[in-house]
Amino acid sequence: MPHVEEGSFLTLHYRMSGPQGQVIIDTFGGQPATLSLGAGELSPAIEQRLIGLEEGVQTVIELDEGEAFGERQPEMVQWVARKLLNELGDPHEQYVAGDVVQFPTPDGLGNYAGAAVEVREDGAVLFDFNHPLAGQRVRFEVQLIGVL
């Protein structure tokens, strides 16, 4: 049977949940995910745990606080001026706490998410750019369908 190695191409179902059991992503009800190990689609800690698993296996990986997505970093909670938000997105957008907004990376090739925490009178928004599961325990349930 094929085993997962660095650079393996995987077809899998997975369910990732936080410490209170809140499901962040779940592919079991639909199409399986396909990804290339080492391409950064999963956190390095999760990828390391997949290495050596055999095709067809279904298992649960428990990751300790901060292991999956790092510790929470206070400097990743930042105010973003309304002027900049207007330039990056829809000037008419009304932001409220809890909104998750995609921001372009400086090179313009990708994006990253920030969760709105607070909105000021002047329209500036306090965003938390930490991963929602940063600093938390993560349960990663995986069914390895195919390994290439």
Side-chain angles (χ1 to χ4, degrees):
M1 287 291 256
H3 285 70
V4 178
E5 299 169 21
E6 286 287 346
S8 287
F9 188 76
L10 310 178
T11 302
L12 71 168
H13 273 302
Y14 66 95
R15 181 179 300 116
M16 189 182 315
S17 50
Q20 282 80 50
Q22 70 277 32
V23 174
I24 304 298
I25 186 165
D26 184 351
T27 69
F28 281 95
Q31 288 290 320
T34 54
L35 53 91
S36 180
L37 215 61
E41 295 168 78
L42 293 173
S43 84
I46 292 174
E47 288 197 348
Q48 285 306 311
R49 301 288 188 90
L50 293 175
I51 289 174
L53 293 181
E54 201 172 83
E55 185 176 84
V57 78
Q58 184 157 356
T59 188
V60 173
I61 299 167
E62 300 276 357
L63 297 123
D64 288 333
E65 285 87 354
E67 188 181 355
F69 299 102
E71 294 303 331
R72 288 189 55 76
Q73 298 174 24
E75 68 274 13
M76 290 184 62
V77 179
Q78 299 176 5
W79 286 99
V80 179
R82 184 68 218 208
K83 182 175 184 291
L84 182 59
L85 290 169
N86 291 349
E87 288 168 17
L88 294 174
D90 177 357
H92 305 292
E93 182 70 48
Q94 294 299 311
Y95 297 98
V96 296
D99 284 352
V100 175
V101 178
Q102 296 292 328
F103 289 87
T105 52
D107 63 12
L109 299 176
N111 57 31
Y112 57 96
V117 179
E118 188 184 328
V119 182
R120 259 194 338 230
E121 285 292 313
D122 66 3
V125 181
L126 183 64
F127 281 101
D128 184 347
F129 294 105
N130 284 288
H131 188 280
L133 290 173
Q136 299 189 48
R137 295 186 61 231
V138 172
R139 176 184 164 94
F140 189 82
E141 206 174 321
V142 61
Q143 177 186 4
L144 219 42
I145 298 166
V147 178
L148 288 174

